[in-house]
Amino acid sequence: MIAFFDANALIYRIEGAAPFASRVNAALAEAVQVYPDLGAAVSRLSWLECRIRPMRLDDHATLAAFDAFFARPDLIWVELTRDVVELATVIRARHGLRTPDALQAASCLQLGAEHLFFTGDAAFQRVAGLNVWLVA
């Protein structure tokens, strides 16, 4: 089982903003209880979105925390391939998600429908087959 992290869930967890960080951590602890071998996955879009604010603010400590997470050797990367973009197009057309959100949903679904999608955005619950774990 894999936990795919939408950028907002990672931002909540790594930047530690209350009460969101504790909600992400609680959801992760619950998931690990159910799936002890839970892996982690992200898309390149999450990588981009997580690093923008710390770069703008010249916040080296937060940027380093994100970079450490993204450098984990066990982290699974979902690339924005043609198949991901095609599925994102269908998701955007059918469910009205914004393009970045459709890309995130499609990235997770490329791993398989059984995997967990950690997000703070309830709009993802509209996507059929996406196993959303709402953390906000």
Side-chain angles (χ1 to χ4, degrees):
M1 186 63 65
I2 298 168
F4 181 93
F5 289 92
D6 187 22
N8 59 34
L10 282 177
I11 290 168
Y12 296 157
R13 184 159 197 264
I14 292 174
E15 290 187 1
F20 301 111
S22 60
R23 291 178 185 164
V24 174
N25 291 335
L28 275 173
E30 180 184 342
V32 168
Q33 288 287 357
V34 177
Y35 309 105
D37 295 327
L38 187 67
V42 295
S43 72
R44 294 289 173 184
L45 183 58
S46 289
W47 181 56
L48 177 150
E49 290 182 333
C50 289
R51 299 175 76 242
I52 292 170
R53 185 171 181 271
M55 282 184 168
R56 269 193 199 137
L57 298 176
D58 207 23
D59 181 350
H60 299 287
T62 302
L63 187 59
F66 279 116
D67 288 344
F69 175 83
F70 289 118
R72 290 175 41 173
D74 62 331
L75 188 63
I76 298 165
W77 286 91
V78 179
E79 301 297 345
L80 299 179
T81 64
R82 178 186 175 113
D83 289 341
V84 169
V85 173
E86 181 63 30
L87 181 55
T89 304
V90 172
I91 290 169
R92 181 156 163 59
R94 288 190 183 152
H95 303 292
L97 295 182
R98 297 175 310 119
T99 298
D101 292 343
L103 286 166
Q104 292 290 70
S107 293
C108 182
L109 287 170
Q110 287 296 306
L111 297 169
E114 72 278 5
H115 297 298
L116 314 178
F117 185 82
F118 280 81
T119 185
D121 187 345
F124 285 102
Q125 293 175 317
R126 296 191 309 247
V127 179
L130 190 62
N131 188 2
V132 176
W133 280 50
L134 197 57
V135 298

